[in-house]
Amino acid sequence: MRLFLEIARTGFSALCLHPVRSGVTICVVMSILVPYLAGVGLSHGLRDVGEDSLRFGSDLTVTGTRFGRAVPIPLSAVDAIRRLEGVIEVVPRIVGALALGKNREPAVLVGLPRGRLPKDVSWVQGQFSEFSTLNEFIVGTQLATRLSLEIGSIIPPFYRSAKGERLSKVVGVLSPEAPLWQANLMLTTLETASQVFDQPDQVTCLLVSCRPGYSDQIKTAILRMPALDSAQGTIRYRVASKHELASLLPSGWLHREGIFHLHFVLAFAAAILAVLVTSGAGLSERRREIGILKATGWQTDEILLRGVVESVLLCLVAASASIVVAFVWLKWLNGLWIASVFLSGVDAVPGFKIPFRLVPVPVLLAFVISAIVVLSGTLYPTWRAAIVPPRDAMR
Amino acid sequence: MNTTIPRWILVSVIGLTVTASAIVLSESRRNPVAAGQSREFQQMLGGLGIGPAVDLSRCTLAFDPRLGPVCDSHFGPISGGEFVCPYHACSVFVDSPAVKVLLPWSEVTTDATVP
Amino acid sequence: MSVLLEIRNVSKIHRPGTRAEVRALDDVSLSVESGSCVAFTGPSGSGKSTLLALLGALERPSHGLVLFKDRDLHKDSDAELTRIRRKLGFIFQDFALIPSLAVWENITYPLIPRGMSAGKRLTLAQSLLDDLGLSDKTYERPQQLSGGEQQRVAIARALAGRPEVILADEATSNLDDAAALELMAVLKKTHAAGTTLILSTHDPRMLAMAETVYRLNAGRLVATNC
C-alpha cells in the first residue's frame, strides 16, 4: 500500500513534469465539457420551468381545429363548457404573434380577462389602470430592451382594425426573473387583444379548471359536444390535458436532449483524438523519460500506475474547472451566446434571467467522460513507450 | 518539481474540486424565489410556454404545443427531417411521436376493423 | 572469482529483414567475473554500446545467450528483466537525467518503486552528493549543472541502488580532463569497494583502469588484452 502511495505521489507531481501537455489536455477536455455542462444545465432549467407551466397551468386547454390545424374558437363556447359537470372555471385567452418596430421584432401578445391580470406581484413593475382610453400593455424584458420601451412609453398604432386604431401605452415591464416566456410578451386585456387582431368574439384557447378527478370526463364531454358554426365553416374542439402535455417532457436520458447528447458523443470521440495528438506532440520527451525509468528499474505496471494517477488528476482538474466555468457562464454571464443556441428567439445577450440547474448526474457523467478522454489519450502512448526495450525508448 | 507534491498544485486541485462540488450541491436545487415567481406567472396566465422558444415567429410547437400541435418544419422533404427542425428539436421536444397525443384525431381510441 | 555475467554467441541485428538491417553484434562470446573491471573499446559503430545494453538487460539479443549469474536473460519476462536491472547501475553517455526533476530526485527516482520514503531518499541523495562534491547542488535542475556535474549526478543515481555491477557507456566522452579524472576517481573507489565495473570507452586512461580489455570491430570481438 505504501509502495502504491509512493508511486501515486509521483503521478500527482508528474502534472508539472510536462506543463504544456497537461495544460493542453485540460483545455481540450474543457472545450468539450463546458458547453456540454452548460447545455445540460440549461435543459434542466428549462424543464423545471416547463413543468411549472404544466403543473400550475389550466387542467384542460381547449382550442378550435379545422383541417387539422389550430383555429380560433368562438367565445360562445365558454358558456357551453362552463355548464359541464366538474368544471370550476373557464377562462378565455388570446395568444397571437405580432411583429413590431422597424426591425419587425417578434412579440407574443396575450390577452386575458381584466380580472386575471396581475396586481401587486413581484415579477411585474407597474400595473393596468382601471379606466383608460389607450390600449395598455405590460411588456417582456427582451422586447422592452429591443424596442427601448419603458413604463409610460407610447406605441403608435401598429395594427389595422375595423373598429379603428388606438395609441398603445406601456404600463408595466415584466421582471427578468420571471419565466423565459415573458421575454417577448405583450400582456393586455382580452378586449384589447381582440381589437388588435381584429377578431371580435373569438379567442385562441379556453383554459378549463376542473375539480379533481373530472379532467378526463370533461375532456370526453367537450369532444362530444356539437361542432361550432362560424362564418368560415365548422370548427371542432381540440382538448389537451395536463398528462398529455407531460408526455412531451420525457425524463429519460434516451429521449430528452437526445440529439444534443449524440453531438457530444461525437465531440468526445474527437477529443480523444485531440488528446492523443497532444500526447504525441510531447511523445519523444515522454518516451525518453519512460525509457529512463525502465532502465533504472521501474516496472511497466508502475509506470502505468503513475500515468493513471496523472490522468485521473488531469481529468479531475478538467472536470472541476469545467463545472466552475459552466456555472460562471450560466449564472454571471447569464448564458451569453449559448442561450441563443439553445433557446430560439433569444439574443446573444439574453434580456432575461435564463433558467438553469446543474444536476449531479450529468456532472458525474462529465467526470467519467473526461476520464475516458484523458485515459484513452494519455495511457495508450504511455503503455506503448513502456513495453518497448528501454534502450529503444531512450533513443 | 518535486516527488513530494508541490503545495500549490495540491491546494489548487483540492480547492477546485471543493468549489465544483459546492456549486453542484447548491445549484442542483431550484432557487425558491424563482420557483415562486414561476408558479405565480403560470397560475395567472393559465400555463404559457413549455418549450425552448420565446416567440411564435418560427415554430409554435417550440413555444407551447398547446397553441398548435403541428410544427411546420416537422414534415420536411428530408429523410429523418422530423429531427432537424432547429426550433423544437434542440432541447425539450425530441421524442416527436409524443406530439401525436395533441393532434385532433388522437381521441380515436380503436384501430379500424374489417367487418 | 565466480562468473557474474556471460554472453555466448550473441548477435544483435537491428531492423532485421529490411534494407536498413544492421548487424550490431556478430557471434560474440565473453564473460565477466564478479568484482572485476572489464572494458570494451573499438571504433564508433563497432557495437560497444549495444554490447553494454545487452549486458545491462536494456535490450534482448537476436541470437545467443546472455547469462546473469547463470540465468538466461533472454527467457526472462519483462518484469524479471526489470528486477535484474535493479541490481545494475547504468551510466549513460548522455547522462539520461530527467530535466524537470531536481538533482536529488534524479538520483533517487529509481528507489521509489522499491518503497523508500521521500525522507530517506533525500538523506541518501545528500550523502551521495557529499561524496561526489555536489552537496550544494541538491535542489538544482540538471540543466543548471555543468557536464561534469551532470555526469557525477548520473553516477550517484547508478550508485544509489547499491548495484552489484556498474556499466558505464562512454562515460568520459562528454567531459573535460578534470571532470574525467574526477569520474575515474569515483569509479576506482567504487571498484575498490567490490563492485564489478564494465566500461565502454575510447579513453586510454579508462582503459588503463580495466583488468580486461575487449576490442570490437564491426560487431565482432577481434582482440582481448589481459
Side-chain angles (χ1 to χ4, degrees):
Chain A
M1 187 63 190
R2 183 178 165 167
L3 177 63
F4 177 87
L5 288 176
E6 283 293 330
I7 294 171
R9 277 162 58 126
T10 65
F12 206 126
S13 58
L15 276 180
C16 287
L17 279 176
H18 308 285
V20 174
R21 185 186 145 276
S22 299
V24 171
T25 303
I26 289 171
C27 288
V28 167
V29 175
M30 281 182 71
S31 67
I32 304 296
L33 276 188
V34 170
Y36 175 74
L37 287 171
V40 173
L42 263 171
S43 281
H44 277 87
L46 186 58
R47 189 173 69 172
D48 288 341
V49 286
E51 284 171 350
D52 285 348
S53 174
L54 291 180
R55 192 179 308 124
F56 303 118
S58 61
D59 295 318
L60 299 173
T61 306
V62 182
T63 55
T65 177
R66 193 189 295 137
F67 295 117
R69 301 272 166 171
V71 293
I73 193 166
L75 263 177
S76 58
V78 172
D79 287 337
I81 294 173
R82 197 173 278 152
R83 281 195 293 272
L84 294 172
E85 191 187 352
V87 171
I88 298 172
E89 186 185 27
V90 181
V91 178
R93 186 176 76 173
I94 291 173
V95 180
L98 281 177
L100 297 176
K102 283 182 295 191
N103 297 327
R104 313 287 296 156
E105 302 292 354
V108 180
L109 193 147
V110 174
L112 284 170
R114 187 173 280 275
R116 295 274 296 197
L117 293 171
K119 285 174 193 160
D120 291 334
V121 288
S122 60
W123 45 275
V124 177
Q125 190 188 350
Q127 61 179 22
F128 291 95
S129 57
E130 287 294 320
F131 304 100
S132 175
T133 55
L134 304 177
N135 296 327
E136 291 187 332
F137 292 100
I138 288 174
V139 295
T141 45
Q142 184 168 277
L143 191 66
T145 308
R146 285 176 173 179
L147 296 174
S148 304
L149 298 175
E150 53 189 26
I151 296 174
S153 295
I154 300 293
I155 307 173
F158 55 89
Y159 60 91
R160 301 292 296 272
S161 174
K163 289 184 178 174
E165 299 82 29
R166 289 194 297 185
L167 291 174
S168 302
K169 184 181 180 185
V170 176
V171 294
V173 178
L174 286 143
S175 159
E177 306 283 339
L180 70 152
W181 299 288
Q182 59 81 18
N184 294 324
L185 197 63
M186 290 181 76
L187 188 58
T188 188
T189 61
L190 200 62
E191 296 75 29
T192 303
S194 179
Q195 192 189 9
V196 168
F197 289 114
D198 201 11
Q199 299 284 339
D201 301 326
Q202 307 253 9
V203 292
T204 52
C205 50
L206 301 174
L207 309 171
V208 182
S209 300
C210 312
R211 284 211 292 267
Y214 276 82
S215 177
D216 288 343
Q217 181 186 321
I218 292 170
K219 179 185 173 181
T220 307
I222 293 171
L223 291 172
R224 284 180 182 162
M225 282 165 60
L228 297 157
D229 290 324
S230 76
Q232 288 76 33
T234 305
I235 296 171
R236 298 193 182 279
Y237 291 103
R238 182 172 66 88
V239 186
S241 65
K242 273 185 181 181
H243 75 265
E244 287 169 339
L245 290 162
S247 68
L248 293 175
L249 294 168
S251 56
W253 277 96
L254 293 176
H255 294 284
R256 238 177 112 251
E257 307 130 3
I259 291 177
F260 177 65
H261 284 295
L262 179 65
H263 288 166
F264 270 90
V265 166
L266 299 174
F268 287 130
I272 290 174
L273 295 176
V275 174
L276 271 171
V277 170
T278 311
S279 304
L283 194 58
S284 60
E285 191 190 352
R286 194 171 178 80
R287 250 177 89 89
R288 183 171 160 75
E289 180 187 306
I290 290 167
I292 293 170
L293 295 182
K294 286 275 285 186
T296 54
W298 280 64
Q299 299 276 14
T300 301
D301 53 356
E302 290 161 351
I303 290 170
L304 287 177
L305 172 61
R306 178 176 177 266
V308 167
V309 172
E310 183 188 357
S311 299
V312 167
L313 280 168
L314 277 175
C315 78
L316 183 67
V317 170
S320 300
S322 300
I323 292 165
V324 174
V325 173
F327 169 73
V328 169
W329 196 0
L330 293 172
K331 179 91 173 181
W332 292 327
L333 299 178
N334 200 27
L336 181 74
W337 179 76
I338 197 171
S340 63
V341 173
F342 282 86
L343 302 171
S344 172
V346 174
D347 293 336
V349 182
F352 55 92
K353 203 82 184 161
I354 57 152
F356 76 92
R357 192 154 60 91
L358 291 172
V359 292
V361 171
V363 168
L364 287 174
L365 195 67
F367 179 77
V368 171
I369 289 166
S370 72
I372 291 169
V373 170
V374 177
L375 285 172
S376 313
T378 61
L379 266 196
Y380 176 67
T382 303
W383 175 76
R384 283 287 302 271
I387 57 168
V388 299
R391 193 167 180 236
D392 290 344
M394 288 171 69
R395 279 200 180 99
Chain B
M1 227 323 292
N2 256 297
T3 45
T4 50
I5 301 162
R7 185 168 290 172
W8 71 268
I9 294 190
L10 196 64
V11 170
S12 306
V13 172
I14 291 173
L16 204 55
T17 310
V18 168
T19 307
S21 307
I23 286 171
V24 174
L25 279 177
S26 69
E27 295 301 321
S28 61
R29 277 166 288 181
R30 284 189 77 187
N31 177 349
V33 176
Q37 291 194 344
S38 179
R39 188 188 68 239
E40 281 184 4
F41 179 88
Q42 297 297 356
Q43 281 174 339
M44 192 167 291
L45 270 73
L48 181 76
I50 296 179
V54 293
D55 61 56
L56 297 164
S57 61
R58 294 167 178 123
C59 172
T60 309
L61 189 66
F63 184 85
D64 191 339
R66 286 173 285 212
L67 305 177
V70 180
C71 164
D72 290 336
S73 308
H74 196 65
F75 305 106
I78 310 163
S79 305
E82 61 182 335
F83 293 114
V84 297
C85 168
Y87 308 115
H88 80 256
C90 43
S91 185
V92 170
F93 307 131
V94 171
D95 192 11
S96 59
V99 180
K100 287 178 185 167
V101 301
L102 297 177
L103 292 172
W105 51 87
S106 66
E107 64 269 21
V108 177
T109 53
T110 55
D111 291 338
T113 54
V114 178
Chain C
M1 284 194 288
S2 60
V3 172
L4 185 67
L5 273 162
E6 184 179 2
I7 60 174
R8 289 183 197 159
N9 308 110
V10 162
S11 297
K12 179 67 186 178
I13 303 164
H14 295 302
R15 297 178 291 277
T18 66
R19 285 184 183 177
E21 180 178 300
V22 176
R23 189 169 280 264
L25 281 178
D26 189 7
D27 198 26
V28 174
S29 298
L30 58 88
S31 61
V32 178
E33 291 181 337
S34 180
S36 65
C37 177
V38 173
F40 302 117
T41 189
S44 294
S46 59
K48 302 187 295 294
S49 296
T50 302
L51 185 54
L52 221 61
L54 289 171
L55 289 169
L58 297 185
E59 59 185 338
R60 294 171 191 269
S62 305
H63 306 288
L65 295 177
V66 179
L67 304 168
F68 180 79
K69 292 182 178 174
D70 294 327
R71 178 179 179 157
D72 183 5
L73 299 187
H74 194 45
K75 288 180 184 166
D76 275 337
S77 65
D78 186 56
E80 281 301 321
L81 280 186
T82 304
R83 272 187 213 107
I84 286 166
R85 273 182 224 126
R86 291 180 182 176
K87 296 175 182 173
L88 312 173
F90 217 108
I91 302 169
F92 297 92
Q93 184 178 359
D94 62 355
F95 321 132
L97 300 174
I98 298 173
S100 45
L101 292 176
V103 162
W104 80 270
E105 290 169 315
N106 262 293
I107 292 169
T108 58
Y109 219 70
L111 303 177
I112 294 171
R114 301 180 206 181
M116 190 182 279
S117 69
K120 283 184 181 170
R121 284 189 287 118
L122 179 58
T123 308
L124 174 65
Q126 281 171 332
S127 151
L128 287 164
L129 288 169
D130 274 347
D131 292 346
L132 292 164
L134 291 173
S135 52
D136 57 335
K137 307 289 185 188
T138 309
Y139 299 102
E140 305 269 307
R141 301 290 171 88
Q143 58 271 30
Q144 294 171 291
L145 307 181
S146 68
E149 288 171 332
Q150 288 189 44
Q151 191 62 293
R152 275 186 278 166
V153 173
I155 293 170
R157 181 179 61 192
L159 294 174
R162 299 184 187 283
E164 293 177 42
V165 185
I166 286 189
L167 301 103
D169 185 12
E170 304 277 10
T172 56
S173 64
N174 288 329
L175 304 180
D176 59 28
D177 276 356
L181 287 172
E182 277 178 24
L183 170 71
M184 283 191 292
V186 174
L187 290 178
K188 274 179 190 166
K189 190 175 163 189
T190 309
H191 181 48
T195 306
T196 306
L197 287 185
I198 303 176
L199 314 170
S200 150
T201 184
H202 295 288
D203 190 337
R205 293 168 299 183
M206 289 278 278
L207 291 172
M209 277 174 58
E211 294 143 13
T212 309
V213 176
Y214 293 98
R215 182 169 296 278
L216 289 151
N217 192 14
R220 298 186 73 93
L221 204 57
V222 292
T224 308
N225 174 25
C226 297

